[in-house]
Amino acid sequence: MNVLTIDGLTVDFKTGEGTTRAVEGVSFSVPRNRTVALVGESGSGKTVISQTIMGLLPANARIVSGSVMLSDPGLAGGKPVDIVSLDPSGPKMRAIRGDRIAIIFQEPMTSLSPLHTIGDQIGEAAELHRKVDSAQARELTREMLRLVRFPDPARALDAYPFELSGGLRQRAMIAMALICHPALLIADEPTTALDVTIQAEILKLIKDVQQELQMSVLVITHDFGVVANLADDVVVIYHGRIMESGSARQLFADPQHDYLKALLNAVPRFTMNAGERLVPIRPIEPHAGGFLVKERRKAVETGKPLVRLENVSKSFITRKGGLLGARPREFLALDDINLTINRGECVGLVGESGSGKTTTAKAILRAISIDRGRILYDCGDGPIDVAAMRGEVLKDYRRRVQLIFQDPFSSLNPRMTVNDILVEPYIIHRIGTAEERAERVRELMRLVGLDPRFLRRYPHSFSGGQRQRIGIARALALNPELILCDEPTSALDVSVQAQILNLLKDLKSELGLTYLFVSHNLAVVNYISDRIAVMCRGRIVEVGPTKEVVSDPLHPYTQALLAAVPEPDLDARLDFEALDARKASEPALWPEPFRLTDDDAPTLVELRPGHFACAPGLADGAMPAALMEAAL
Amino acid sequence: MIFYILRRLLGMVPTLLVISFLTFFIIELPAGDYISNQIAALKATGESSSIAKLEFLRKEFALDRPFLERYLVWVGLWPGPHGFDGLIQGNWGWSFEYDKPVAEVVGPTMPLTIVLNAATILFVYVVAFPIGIYSATRQYSWGDYGFTFLGYIGLATPNFLLGLILLYFSNRWFGLSIGGLMDPQYIGKPWSMGKMMSVLGHLIVPTIVIGTAGTAAMIRRLRANLLDELHRQYVTTARAKGMREAHLLVKYPLRMALNPFIADIGNLIPSLVSGSVIVSVVLNLPTVGPVLLTALQSQDQFLSGFILLFVALLTLFGMLISDLLLAVLDPRIRLGGRAVS
């Protein structure tokens, strides 16, 4: 029996340029107590479908044809209802929305009102649909928070969203969606904005509550790892049409449609062989030549240390304290970081949000000053302290080190044309004449596979992937040696991600670049980097060659991170029982010799050749070899 | 909380000193002072009999001393001819123009000024809020365009022109006397029912005149703020819960859109006193505005200095009040310290 049956749904959007068809002839169903995954890239119409089911389509959308039948014994009258026939803001639809169908969104940060308590916002749905008074609603909310495993439900009732971490906020969202025990839960990219360890916990939670409440789930995602771990059935959508649907096992084992095959090929996996390339759906060919290859300057040899961080520490003062005693608190963002990046290699910097990855990158860029330690950069005449650079030396350093940002949408000035954006570095550094600059800018465009004719356009007319390529072109404009990539693909779809990763790989080999690749996605880092450094709470806990770190992680935190990555493989599902994110990211709870208290220096110990782990317990070398073996 | 308020109040002291110094400095920028100008005028006409009296006044008010000393005597941090006797000691100074103590000049105008400006602020809020909400929720509808058009006319029309036109019509149609805040027969009379009604009737025109520009600006601001909030994800979340649109609007986005207006209270309080100088002059309203203007023109320095300083003090208190209100209404400010970063 199906809770939801969509039949021949077609939705149009009226825009300034006419009518666009967002969804065309879509039919699928969600059976009772099952999980269906709706998979597709951004812009494929997945969200439009979820909005149609919720009756929340924007004003410029029109349902042209089709039906969305909801059949659920909990409905008033008990008969199946066609949602399309209801007035979206009428009382009948409002009675269904939030009661029989509920939704959780991608961004737990913005989907809760910052001015109202969690308890107020969750209990509201119960008051609306269950005819309970506020005291009963509070009781129901407490019950619900317990169900979604809030550490302290009674206290959380009066907490405000900004007092909670991202994972807890998403739990609160789930509690809000489930308080009326809906027949269908729509999860719209429920874990995309979360760290891997938190993602694994949320996936586990969705699975658990589904069992407990006997409901159906429609997961909307572009992440095949999530699909493999959650879904019973899969529906693949492309440009508003269903390409393929069937059971998860069937689709993963034997994808029929070219699009699905291509999508699966674009996902980086741990099982990839060395040298194996991802196959993006729309591959691009970088054309390196001209000034980027010709113009060489004095630099250190390939394989020699380019940047060395020595005992770098940085703390931020958070001056928060409300009205009572605003006491400044110190927050240690970087604790005694030691890291070397050799010329020509790509070092992946992995960790959860708030672990200090971006701070490290910014420190190298000298965008922030460090409190202790040194950052040494070798321009070819031996290492120089970055903090001591002045005048021309600093300007030269700025040319050598560049940054690629995470968010391609906000990192490009919407009021500048692509040409302005790319020419700006030359103007600042007074390089070349107007003609030379124009020539270089065209070359940069070709290099990232964009047509130089696009130069006069503004950023808004490009897709996310294209914008990220403009960002890369801007970073390459001054012919740098070292590029700091700050989560360059985390805002992109898998297929576009594959395209950008391949582009970065090709550029690195053609132009002899060095990367520091910051990411929370281990699979991505595994694909692109030669060495991996894992960060947790401002410390580097493990450094080593990529293959070794991934196949033989020494540190418990790295092990936990790896265990939490959902693989797009039905036979390698997450072991939900073994997960315990809170314990894994708490340095004081790590087992000996890795245990780290606030007073310990995070000393890296070489446990395998070239493979270090932070193990203060082994630091003085006093531990006998036998014990060391046992500890590992 | 108490500690915070005390700290803020203490912080006001140096701020006020700096403001008073700047005020005094700027007022004294034109050459000469009220009395030396008078002396010069008398000398020019050949009259010298009252010069001696003026010279005495100069000494009396320490105007013959150097600039810094003059300032300190005014504030009350330096002994003048009568010992420490300045603002701090509660002596607000002497108005040469009116030949009365400043307190007696400003005092009687204060209640009417506050009544008029409070009425204006109330008018602005009462009119702007419903229209702003309507415009935002029905963006690009005929109503929205209509109010936008009216708003721009309100912003663009000079206040005094609008005032004169309205005065003319209210006189023609309702028989209200032109100018002033009450019919002439009530001036100087004790308060009575008739005087009250007359004041209320005369308040209407100035309130509308002073309030139009503010209303128009506020409608635009509320509309823009609310439009930003309406597209936020948490509004969709509330809608997905099945809330009624009107209920949802008031509880979530409107509440968020209010913050800038609460922050604005700090600016409103000083405008209670100084908000309507030009209109008051044109409509001949007995408020502080015209007094300030004449005081500035004739270099009646203690009078103008006191009014300016008083407005500055009100600004500081307004800021404190809006900060406290914001903290009460916005948990992010109140509880920021408890957040996990």
Side-chain angles (χ1 to χ4, degrees), chain A residues 54 56 94 97-98 103 105 110-116 120-121 124-125 128-129 160 162-165 173 176 320-324 329, chain B residues 1 3-4 233-234 236-237 239-244 247 251-252 255-256 324 327 329-341:
Chain A
M54 291 299 291
L56 290 175
R94 283 209 315 271
R97 207 188 290 150
I103 189 164
F105 297 105
T110 54
S111 28
L112 292 164
S113 158
L115 297 182
H116 300 83
D120 178 10
Q121 296 186 59
E124 196 170 54
L128 279 169
H129 299 292
Y160 288 93
F162 65 89
E163 297 179 275
L164 306 174
S165 64
M173 265 312 277
M176 187 192 295
K320 291 178 188 162
L323 292 177
L324 281 167
R329 263 189 326 175
Chain B
M1 188 77 176
F3 176 72
Y4 172 78
Q233 184 77 56
Y234 66 85
T236 315
T237 308
R239 211 168 274 148
K241 268 186 259 184
M243 283 178 85
R244 276 206 331 277
H247 182 192
K251 180 166 178 183
Y252 295 109
R255 176 75 196 281
M256 286 288 279
L324 292 178
L329 290 174
D330 192 336
R332 284 170 300 179
I333 297 170
R334 186 174 62 230
L335 304 172
R338 258 163 58 187
V340 285
S341 47

Side-chain angles (χ1 to χ4, degrees), chain B residues 153 157-174 176 178-179 205-206 208-209 279 282-283:
Chain B
I153 290 185
T157 318
N159 274 338
F160 57 89
L161 183 67
L162 186 66
L164 292 177
I165 295 170
L166 284 181
L167 275 187
Y168 172 74
F169 283 114
S170 63
N171 182 260
R172 278 282 299 274
W173 295 340
F174 307 112
L176 285 175
I178 303 260
V205 170
I208 294 176
V209 171
V279 174
V282 172
L283 301 188

Side-chain angles (χ1 to χ4, degrees), chain B residues 181-260:
Chain B
L181 263 185
M182 58 193 83
D183 281 328
Q185 74 249 32
Y186 292 112
I187 291 176
K189 295 278 163 56
W191 283 96
S192 64
M193 203 56 201
K195 185 171 174 176
M196 278 277 279
M197 295 315 290
S198 173
V199 168
L200 282 182
H202 279 81
L203 266 181
I204 295 172
V205 170
T207 302
I208 294 176
V209 171
I210 302 169
T212 338
T215 309
M218 189 152 186
I219 291 174
R220 301 307 299 164
R221 256 188 339 149
L222 182 64
R223 178 176 177 273
N225 279 350
L226 201 54
L227 276 178
D228 272 355
E229 295 298 329
L230 281 177
H231 296 112
R232 293 285 164 87
Q233 184 77 56
Y234 66 85
V235 180
T236 315
T237 308
R239 211 168 274 148
K241 268 186 259 184
M243 283 178 85
R244 276 206 331 277
E245 200 64 21
H247 182 192
L248 171 160
L249 179 78
V250 174
K251 180 166 178 183
Y252 295 109
L254 186 61
R255 176 75 196 281
M256 286 288 279
L258 277 184
N259 268 7

